[in-house]
Amino acid sequence: MTNKGYTEGLAELREVRDEIKPLTRQLAKLQAELAKLEAQRDRKIVELGAFEKAKADRLATSAGVSVIDVVALVPALGPQGPASAPAEPAPARSAAEAPAEPQTAAQSINEVAGAPTPDLPAATQPAVGEQAPSTDAAENHDQEQELAAPAEPSAPSMPAPASAASVPGEEQKRTLPSIPEGPAGDGWFRAEQGLASKRPNFKQATRQMAFLDTGSGVLVWQGGAVTLELGRASVAEILTAVYATVPAAVERIYVTAGDPWHQNAGGHQFLKDAVAEWLNGPLPEGWQVESSRGKDRQAGHLVHPRNPVGRWQRGADQHTEIRSAGEWFDPEGADPATVRAAFVELWKALHRHWDDVVLMGSPSQTGRDLWSRTIPAKAGAKWADGYPVMSQEIRGLLHATAGQGRTELIVPPRVAERVPGWFEADRTFAYAKHTWSSGVGVPRRVTASAFAAMSEKEQSNALFSPSHWQVRVTIPKGWEHVGLLPAPAPGERAWHYPYEGGRTFVTWAGGAEVNVALRNPLQPWRIEILDGLVWEKGDPLKDWSAKLKDAWRSLRALAEFHGDEQQRQAARLASRAVRSILLYGIGTFAQRPRITTGSVVLGAGGEVPEIPDGARLTGLTDTHATWERNAGFARDPYAHPEWAAGVWSAARAALLDGPTSSKDPQSGKPLRAGALHLPAGAILAFRTDAVYSSVRPEWPYGGEPGDFLLKGAMPWEQPTPTSDEEFYVLQRLGRQAVEAEGL
């Protein structure tokens, strides 16, 4: 640029400045007027909300705001107890549930002093959930993108909170439940009568599938491929065009690209409202929302913001679902033919281990069905009569006290405002690492007094068993690293990780995490046992997981060596589907309270008709109101939250410290990795199975489940992210840098 060009550019810049100034003044005036009107509206909402017959939905419709906004202004109009978010997309409408069993009220733990844990030696045995070094042969695993973990569960209203000691002056805003004293609490330790996980004696029905890109109109199914004219890709247009082409026997339509349910997202404050509007749009003549169900067919719609499920029927015999392929994997721009090929390769890889495999609607359904077909069936075999389901009280306790993946963003002043680099280390196929051993049967209770009466060896054995402990934790003075144990944070389902030296708090944690706190490579924490659940060791997930790992390995090899690019891509996608089957299959064992959703058509003048008892409104459009209801715990024969909790705890512990598949050439022992093997102040974030740091982790990667893979790297100065938005920008850039530069 010349001096003349620069001078002319400055003149142009001043002209733009002069045009902006009056517009800025106008905008400020409009914003002031808008703020005044909004304040007037809010005052009116509060005034009308005081009326004894006031309803949030009516006020929201009249004010032009969401129900959530109304409830924020008039909390009395909100639900008395928040509905819990399911870990997996729950059925849109559930079948009638058995009446909930009466539950004994939980009690505080004030009166019981904790029993200190023994001083444990250096690790000579694997922590709970870790694979013994000699158990598995080496497996070839490549990079795998970590799926987002489901939202943390909220605590049920059943148990009373435990008391917690904390730093003076600090308010404990959410506490966790405890087990009642004496016989009342001991009564929780039982199996549900007549409820056990047994091997099924039937084969799932096969559903024919079609794959549709709603952007391009390309439709692919077993009979061929065509390009459809879909208009705006409404439900009516899709059903009409697809079933003018494919036979009625096609019962699942997977949308591979286009996300038609988001087409009107700009007109709504929340994505779920846009999805509900799309699902509830007009239907072709003869079609209606699904109203019947079979063994693996659910009725009604699932209003999920990104992966919704719509279910419809025509007459009595034709049924169909429109689902997102994103439930299984990110298609990454693959065309429908490639996505269909991925499902074919997935079925072939699974069929080598399960002769009766059927791909169901979602990976979670498929995972649980495949697991059920690994339950021992031979007469006389242990657990051939089924794995018992624990009492509703214990399931509720685990639901309230066993979190999922660790999600934490560490911001200044804990870390510097600018850091020398950005590195993402992600654990490959992490959950598969922690399925070799799980608790089975009814747990035994270990109270503080019972733990104190044990010998040191018995205490150590209990801590290394599959277990879940209520503990009083004291962080050593001078501690400078990240927190090790989850604790309840303010909010209904939040967890945080206290790290301040000298702080004391009460929480629940799995045996794997308790062991890391006691045996970490930096400085042991003080742990007092207040109560605990200890299970018999078993391997209910091992066979299932081993078969899935083998299928994943074979698909990764196919993705690397196949001569056809489309088949390589299909195999890569299929390998990710296997990972989803294991990840979300584990999530189904948690069996949280079921959330049912539905929608009703608005009456004349926008009036909301009756919704089911106990339901709360979650969204309003011009034509429909959407609701959801907490249906409580079902009598589910596959409810094993102890298995999900054990895997989650072990995975969180391994983020901090765990063995790799590589051996130390000097000692022959596995080399260890995790956040505690990086400098204090270098950790920037945790996301489920990934550690983000400002220094490059020099951890060996052997391709085994649980090994840390360098997934993102920018070895130059970066501003420290202080929000999720800034974090995800750096995450994306770091991954792009690795892909482009091979850093």
Side-chain angles (χ1 to χ4, degrees), residues 543-617:
D543 185 36
W544 173 71
S545 175
K547 290 177 176 178
L548 290 175
K549 285 188 288 185
D550 185 72
W552 188 63
R553 181 173 60 247
S554 67
L555 288 166
R556 295 305 296 177
L558 186 65
E560 184 176 355
F561 297 114
H562 200 287
D564 181 80
E565 174 56 32
Q566 184 188 51
Q567 286 302 114
R568 287 199 298 271
Q569 186 179 12
R572 283 194 297 271
L573 296 178
S575 71
R576 292 170 186 171
V578 172
R579 184 185 175 284
S580 296
I581 287 172
L582 186 137
L583 175 66
Y584 293 122
I586 289 171
T588 63
F589 291 124
Q591 201 262 328
R592 298 179 181 84
R594 297 173 67 122
I595 304 301
T596 60
T597 65
S599 60
V600 290
V601 180
L602 297 182
E607 295 183 1
V608 179
E610 291 296 321
I611 62 175
D613 291 340
R616 67 185 184 100
L617 286 172

Side-chain angles (χ1 to χ4, degrees), residues 140-359:
N140 236 339
H141 295 294
D142 201 350
Q143 177 177 352
E144 193 69 5
Q145 179 166 342
E146 189 65 33
L147 298 179
E152 294 284 8
S154 62
S157 58
M158 172 268 293
S163 63
S166 58
V167 175
E170 179 178 339
E171 181 184 359
Q172 182 82 11
K173 296 186 178 179
R174 183 170 70 95
T175 52
L176 298 177
S178 59
I179 306 170
E181 285 186 85
D186 293 341
W188 288 19
F189 292 78
R190 68 181 193 281
E192 289 284 3
Q193 188 173 1
L195 202 60
S197 305
K198 297 182 179 180
R199 192 173 187 134
N201 56 7
F202 65 91
K203 182 178 179 178
Q204 296 288 358
T206 302
R207 313 291 181 191
Q208 291 191 39
M209 310 175 193
F211 301 87
L212 176 65
D213 181 335
T214 60
S216 66
V218 174
L219 174 73
V220 177
W221 79 106
Q222 189 176 15
V226 296
T227 300
L228 305 177
E229 177 54 56
L230 296 178
R232 296 190 69 251
S234 67
V235 171
E237 288 166 322
I238 290 174
L239 293 177
T240 299
V242 169
Y243 285 104
T245 307
V246 305
V250 172
E251 295 188 49
R252 288 197 187 114
I253 303 169
Y254 281 107
V255 174
T256 64
D259 295 346
W261 38 80
H262 292 160
Q263 60 187 226
N264 196 27
H268 297 277
Q269 185 176 2
F270 302 104
L271 273 180
K272 285 185 72 172
D273 291 342
V275 171
E277 180 183 51
W278 184 84
L279 289 171
N280 292 301
L283 296 174
E285 185 177 354
W287 286 88
Q288 65 183 48
V289 175
E290 174 85 81
S291 61
S292 64
R293 63 177 64 243
K295 283 188 176 179
D296 66 341
R297 178 185 288 131
Q298 303 293 342
H301 304 319
L302 168 66
V303 184
H304 187 278
R306 301 200 178 276
N307 295 316
V309 181
R311 302 181 177 98
W312 298 271
Q313 69 182 76
R314 180 162 57 179
D317 300 322
Q318 184 179 356
H319 304 267
T320 193
E321 294 180 331
I322 297 180
R323 312 182 71 111
S324 169
E327 291 183 81
W328 294 83
F329 47 72
D330 179 359
E332 295 183 343
D335 58 47
T338 303
V339 174
R340 180 179 182 275
F343 275 79
V344 171
E345 292 299 333
L346 172 63
W347 182 88
K348 288 162 61 178
L350 296 175
H351 187 258
R352 286 194 287 271
H353 298 288
W354 286 277
D355 291 339
D356 52 356
V357 61
V358 171
L359 297 182

